[in-house]
Amino acid sequence: MRATVIHAPHDIRVEEVPDPEVQQPTDVVVRVLRACICGSDLWAYRGVAARVPGQRIGHEFLGIVEEAGSDVRGFAAGDLVVAPFVWSDGTCEYCAEGLTTSCPRGGFWGSVGSDGGQGEAVRVPFADATLVGLPAAAASDDRLLTGLLALSDVLGTGHHAAVGAGVRPGSTVAVVGDGAVGLCGVLAAKRLGADRIIALGRHQARTDIARTFGATDIVAVRGDEAVAAVRELTAGQGAHAVIEAVGTEQSMATAVGITRDGGAIGYVGVPHGSGTGLDLSDMFNRNIALRGGVAPVRTYIPELLPDVLDGTIDPSPVFDRTVGLDEVPDGYRAMDERTALKVLVK
């Protein structure tokens, strides 16, 4: 089959690789219908995150089950399924607590020795615990299928940030980051009942999506200017809940600066760079809480899925460019150059 592999920074190729096979009785093989490129993939692309030459890449996909192992009970050939970006066994204490990303037998798609999502097929370990079934009719609804793909990562990650930030009905929320996760954070905050949502972003195409998703205010500056602007919008206090969806030192410093005393930051931006920008004494003195991390999206999919299916929320606008599998390298270049927000792979 064909799959996307990374050989070196800025060297993404689509190559022939061995077909995936059922190796354990709890495995299934999924033929991929939709995949996408994540902003976190760009850190490997740029050489910030190390990868082994020839390693697979991509962790977001949905598709059709082609083959199921003998112990798989929940799925059969022909079923439409979505995969969270981490597989998990569903039996450990962490899985029981909903923290599927800490499962000792779990793993990330595209890790060494595993299939990546940006390929024609994927072997899925612990299929019953990992995959979530989708209505068969969704396969013929292109927009719905695209929205359902967001469940594999960005929608659940934005939701995780909103939950970590303590978004509640009537609260004021600020979102640092105008990428797909930040925009899904806006969508999640609206879904959880936020009264006011301030989106920080400087790209109009993205802030237009933020407004569609529920943002009431846009702050199009960075750093100290952004902190001042958010405080001006909030009578000098800042936001009750802040979603940090970038992961740089500056973005975290901004998040702290715009959080109201007694508020919380939900952080899901993958940390990169020289530091985190955290001033613990400032956070201590102002009683600011910090919660977040790798999103256990498998835990969130059952909650979010009905709202995507019935149209209550539609995350599909975050996908603003579509490519075929052979064009994936072009998709990486477009996202790296910020001419695309999030690239869908058909």
Side-chain angles (χ1 to χ4, degrees):
M1 71 169 189
R2 293 175 302 150
T4 306
V5 298
I6 182 167
H7 286 270
H10 301 282
D11 186 1
I12 294 282
R13 309 178 197 173
V14 178
E15 298 180 339
E16 292 290 328
V17 301
D19 291 338
E21 298 177 344
V22 169
Q23 298 178 15
Q24 301 294 330
T26 53
D27 291 350
V28 303
V29 173
V30 172
R31 175 171 53 85
V32 176
L33 294 181
R34 297 287 186 277
C36 53
I37 302 172
C38 183
S40 63
D41 292 332
L42 295 181
W43 303 123
Y45 182 73
R46 293 166 178 163
V48 176
R51 293 292 187 272
V52 176
Q55 187 174 339
R56 308 286 180 82
I57 196 166
H59 54 262
E60 302 158 279
F61 66 94
L62 59 74
I64 302 290
V65 174
E66 285 203 324
E67 182 182 2
S70 59
D71 287 351
V72 175
R73 298 290 177 261
F75 302 101
D79 288 345
L80 180 66
V81 294
V82 63
F85 64 84
V86 172
W87 71 79
S88 52
D89 66 14
T91 63
C92 72
E93 291 184 7
Y94 287 115
C95 287
E97 295 167 1
L99 194 60
T100 52
T101 50
S102 290
C103 177
R105 296 201 289 173
F108 291 76
W109 313 114
S111 56
V112 175
S114 73
D115 295 317
Q118 296 162 17
E120 291 184 312
V122 175
R123 180 182 75 88
V124 178
F126 307 114
D128 283 330
T130 299
L131 297 174
V132 176
L134 302 173
S140 60
D141 185 331
D142 191 64
R143 185 179 182 91
L144 177 58
L145 204 62
T146 300
L148 291 169
L149 177 61
L151 290 166
S152 65
D153 184 349
V154 289
L155 182 58
T157 298
H159 178 73
H160 186 55
V163 171
V167 176
R168 292 176 174 82
S171 57
T172 295
V173 180
V175 180
V176 182
D178 61 1
V181 170
L183 294 173
C184 285
V186 172
L187 195 62
K190 179 68 173 179
R191 178 180 175 275
L192 291 173
D195 183 58
R196 191 175 192 186
I197 304 172
I198 304 166
L200 281 66
R202 298 183 298 164
H203 303 85
Q204 185 174 344
R206 300 182 180 200
T207 55
D208 285 348
I209 296 173
R211 287 194 182 277
T212 299
F213 283 179
T216 56
D217 303 272
I218 302 295
V219 169
V221 289
R222 300 177 69 181
D224 292 342
E225 288 183 277
V227 173
V230 172
R231 290 197 167 272
E232 183 177 355
L233 288 168
T234 57
Q237 293 186 344
H240 300 101
V242 175
I243 291 172
E244 193 286 314
V246 181
T248 63
E249 185 171 350
Q250 182 185 62
S251 64
M252 186 60 80
T254 298
V256 173
I258 64 178
T259 303
R260 184 181 188 272
D261 288 15
I265 300 168
Y267 72 106
V268 292
V270 178
H272 52 276
S274 60
T276 61
L278 283 175
D279 182 344
L280 292 180
S281 63
D282 187 29
M283 296 179 69
F284 179 86
N285 291 332
R286 296 171 53 213
N287 281 280
I288 294 174
L290 180 67
R291 292 184 291 268
V294 183
V297 299
R298 177 59 181 84
T299 299
Y300 297 133
I301 291 175
E303 176 185 348
L304 299 171
L305 175 58
D307 284 358
V308 177
L309 289 174
D310 68 15
T312 299
I313 55 175
D314 177 14
S316 64
V318 302
F319 299 96
D320 63 343
R321 181 171 300 189
T322 301
V323 300
L325 183 57
D326 289 334
E327 302 167 305
V328 166
D330 295 331
Y332 272 86
R333 282 190 289 271
M335 286 183 62
D336 185 46
E337 296 167 358
R338 297 184 71 86
T339 59
L341 167 58
K342 189 167 180 67
V343 173
L344 175 71
V345 183
K346 286 188 176 181

